[in-house]
Amino acid sequence: MAGDISGAYRVSSKLVKKHPVHPLAWVEYAACLALKYEFSRADQAIEKALKHSKGSIDLYLIAAEAMVASSFGSTAVSILRKARNIEPGNHQINIRLASELERQHDVEEAQNLVNEVLSSHLQPPISSEALLIHATLLKRNNNADKAVEVLDELIHSTPNTEDTQDTLWKALNLRILCLDNLHRYAEAIEAFYTASDFTQKFYTQSISSCRTSWLQRKQTMHNLSQAITCEKLLAWQMNPSVCDHSLTFLSGHPRSGTTLTGTILSSHPDSVLIDEKDIFFTDTLIPLAREFPKGTPDIERIEKASEKSITRHVGNYLKQAEKCVQQSIIGKTIIDKHPLHI
């Protein structure tokens, strides 16, 4: 859909006119509106979808997933809260809501929901998903040791079935990151090979897709680096900034010292560190890219984006940044550390 938003919007518009009481038609329409940044109309379309859902929890879950895919997480949370009001004890709803709250950095509420699910002593796949979110929250709170314990429990207690493969794959990869953060490098390398074997066995098609994606990204980065000349950098520097925060991107190859550099820089009282969170991509670059036709060069998107558009995306980034560091960022230098910034 993201590749041809206008076409998808026209089709979904016809669908809701032809089937005005079909909830799925309204969900598709809402997703298109969200991708076009018509958020108020998207919310109205979702309300109509839920109105015609006849209380179907499955429809609520579908609607929430559609909003997540459209980078409209706030509405996904609203939908899941309404579903939880209908069925407070539905653990699938609680897991989905906890997952989205974690993604939006609402840590405390996400943890409470996970605790509620885990206290029910359920079986996989629900228990495994709850453990995965629990481990993610522990890592976010700089408790990687405990996160590894939780992930080990998840991996050893979860049978490898079609319903649990994605959760296991995510757990194996999160375990690598946790071990790396703990400087347990020998174990991290062993965990990497375990995850690699799992990936090659169950995700052959995904590997091919990732390789293609990586080659495309490599070419994009090459084109961008060639297009950004000294003259362009100087011109951008001379323009009035739409952001009154000082922002520094920190990147480098693995084992090159970026973690130590970030720790040193963020020890200053007037700086905060965003450590390998994807918010610059999810809340700034991807939404910005959607405002241009598919295939538009990155340099053109940056140069042609309106000040209003950039202000909106920077505002979203700063809002998420504040949630990440769980403190005010006013007057502070933001150090955004991520390997993909390279």
Side-chain angles (χ1 to χ4, degrees):
M1 182 188 295
D4 184 14
I5 300 172
S6 296
Y9 172 73
R10 287 193 297 271
V11 172
S12 62
S13 297
K14 292 178 181 177
L15 276 175
V16 293
K17 289 177 182 177
K18 187 175 181 180
H19 305 285
V21 296
H22 199 302
L24 287 177
W26 284 107
V27 169
E28 289 297 321
Y29 185 53
C32 290
L33 289 168
L35 289 170
K36 286 167 62 68
Y37 295 99
E38 297 186 32
F39 297 128
S40 178
R41 292 179 64 199
D43 276 331
Q44 292 171 9
I46 282 295
E47 286 301 319
K48 290 185 179 181
L50 301 183
K51 176 183 176 182
H52 297 303
S53 71
K54 299 179 180 179
S56 167
I57 293 301
D58 287 341
L59 191 283
Y60 277 73
L61 291 171
I62 290 170
E65 289 299 321
M67 292 299 97
V68 170
S70 303
S71 299
F72 201 11
S74 58
T75 291
V77 168
S78 175
I79 293 168
L80 291 166
R81 289 193 197 283
K82 290 175 181 177
R84 179 171 159 81
N85 288 336
I86 296 172
E87 291 189 16
N90 188 312
H91 296 300
Q92 189 177 10
I93 293 170
N94 293 339
I95 285 295
R96 295 293 174 269
L97 180 55
S99 178
E100 190 53 35
L101 288 169
E102 185 278 323
R103 190 180 288 115
Q104 296 190 26
H105 318 294
D106 290 329
V107 175
E108 185 176 352
E109 187 178 357
Q111 187 64 67
N112 289 338
L113 287 166
V114 167
N115 292 342
E116 182 180 329
V117 174
L118 291 175
S119 67
S120 300
H121 304 291
L122 302 171
Q123 297 299 312
I126 294 294
S127 61
S128 306
E129 293 176 18
L131 287 171
L132 179 61
I133 300 171
H134 183 37
T136 304
L137 291 166
L138 286 168
K139 181 180 180 295
R140 182 187 288 280
N141 289 326
N142 299 315
N143 194 351
D145 267 317
K146 182 62 178 177
V148 171
E149 292 179 17
V150 171
L151 291 167
D152 286 342
E153 177 189 349
L154 187 166
I155 293 165
H156 292 129
S157 66
T158 304
N160 186 359
T161 66
E162 189 174 341
D163 289 337
T164 61
Q165 276 177 9
D166 280 346
T167 301
L168 282 169
W169 183 80
K170 291 174 183 176
L172 289 167
N173 283 277
L174 180 59
R175 189 170 182 272
I176 297 169
L177 296 177
C178 291
L179 291 169
D180 180 72
N181 286 352
L182 293 166
H183 310 297
R184 291 158 59 178
Y185 300 128
E187 293 175 77
I189 291 171
E190 184 180 349
F192 170 80
Y193 285 119
T194 300
S196 179
D197 289 342
F198 185 91
T199 303
Q200 291 184 43
K201 186 174 181 181
F202 297 103
Y203 292 95
T204 305
Q205 189 173 355
S206 296
I207 293 172
S208 175
S209 175
C210 284
R211 283 174 179 161
T212 302
S213 232
W214 171 247
L215 289 173
Q216 290 173 345
R217 178 175 178 79
K218 184 178 179 183
Q219 186 62 48
T220 297
M221 295 305 292
H222 174 75
N223 294 341
L224 191 57
S225 64
Q226 294 296 308
I228 300 178
T229 62
C230 289
E231 290 76 14
K232 281 190 170 67
L233 288 173
L234 287 171
W236 291 343
Q237 189 177 19
M238 296 299 290
N239 284 337
S241 175
V242 295
C243 173
D244 57 2
H245 289 73
S246 177
L247 174 61
T248 300
F249 289 113
L250 175 59
S251 186
H253 292 287
R255 313 269 70 81
S256 65
T258 52
T259 298
L260 176 60
T261 303
T263 302
I264 293 171
L265 292 174
S266 63
S267 65
H268 192 282
D270 291 333
S271 67
V272 292
L273 176 67
I274 300 175
D275 194 0
E276 298 191 13
K277 301 295 187 291
D278 292 334
I279 59 173
F280 179 69
F281 303 97
T282 58
D283 294 278
T284 309
L285 284 187
I286 293 174
L288 180 64
R290 285 179 177 155
E291 297 180 4
F292 294 86
K294 186 177 181 181
T296 303
D298 286 349
I299 188 71
E300 190 175 323
R301 290 171 178 156
I302 294 170
E303 290 186 326
K304 291 188 175 181
S306 67
E307 184 172 318
K308 181 179 179 182
S309 172
I310 292 175
T311 301
R312 181 174 71 252
H313 296 311
V314 169
N316 290 339
Y317 171 83
L318 294 173
K319 180 180 177 181
Q320 294 302 327
E322 197 159 71
K323 282 187 177 182
C324 274
V325 299
Q326 299 182 41
Q327 60 175 287
S328 173
I329 59 175
I330 295 174
K332 296 191 175 182
T333 295
I334 302 168
I335 302 163
D336 192 331
K337 170 182 170 283
H338 201 296
L340 291 181
H341 289 329
I342 199 168

